[in-house]
Amino acid sequence: MKIEKRYLLTGWTCLGLMALNLIRHLLFLCRAVPYRTLWGSMVTNRTSIVPGEWLYVVLAFAALLITLQGFRHPFLVKRRTRLLPTPLPPIQKAGLFFAALFCFLTAIGCSRSDLPLVKYFWGFLLWAAFVLYLYFFFLRWMLAQKAARISRKHRLHH
C-alpha cells in the first residue's frame, strides 16, 4: 500500500478511536453512564469530577481537530512548474505531539482501572491509538522524505 494511503488510513483510525473515547466521556457528562464505567473507582467526589471531565472533553476535542488537520495537510504543493515539499508547521507538530501524549496519558489511566471493561477494552483501544499515533509520526517523516525526493527529481528534469 502506498505511503499516502497508509497515512490517511492511520489518521482516520486514530481519529475514530479518539472519537469513541470522546463519546464515552460525553455520555458521562449527559449522565447516561456512571463514573465507574469511565475510569473505575478512582475518585468518588462528584463535584470535583464534572469540571475535570469538561476539561478532558475540551482537550480531547482539540486533539481530534489537531489530528484531523494534521493528516489532511498536503505533503507536496505545485508552485508554477515546481513541486515543493510542505512540511508540517511547528504548531501542528506540537499539536500532534500533544494529541499523542493525551492519548498516552488516557491509556495509562484506563490501564490502572479496577474495572475489567475499562482496563482491558478501553485500555487496549487507547494503547492501540497511541501506537497508531507513533506510526502516524513515522509515516509523516517518510512522506517528508518522499516529498524531498520527488522535488529533487522534478527540479532536475524541468
Side-chain angles (χ1 to χ4, degrees), residues 14 16 18 24 32 34 41 62 65 68 71 76 88 90 100-101 112 115-116 126 132 141:
C14 286
M18 289 298 283
R24 179 173 74 114
S41 61
L65 290 179
L68 179 65
F71 79 83
L76 275 175
L88 278 177
L101 181 67
R112 296 189 60 186
L115 196 65
L126 288 165
L132 283 173
W141 176 78

Side-chain angles (χ1 to χ4, degrees), residues 56-111:
Y56 182 90
V57 165
V58 168
L59 291 175
F61 191 69
L64 280 174
L65 290 179
I66 289 167
T67 304
L68 179 65
Q69 192 176 23
F71 79 83
R72 292 185 61 219
H73 187 80
F75 73 101
L76 275 175
V77 172
K78 186 174 182 174
R79 295 221 173 99
R80 294 187 188 150
T81 59
R82 295 176 61 182
L83 284 174
L84 299 174
T86 56
L88 278 177
I91 191 75
Q92 271 189 341
K93 285 182 186 175
L96 284 172
F97 178 75
F98 158 74
L101 181 67
F102 185 75
C103 189
F104 174 72
L105 293 174
T106 306
I108 287 175
C110 285
S111 297

Side-chain angles (χ1 to χ4, degrees), residues 118-135:
V118 175
K119 186 174 192 170
Y120 298 114
F121 180 71
W122 290 106
F124 174 75
L125 283 183
L126 288 165
W127 279 114
F130 175 67
V131 169
L132 283 173
Y133 267 112
L134 294 179
Y135 185 58

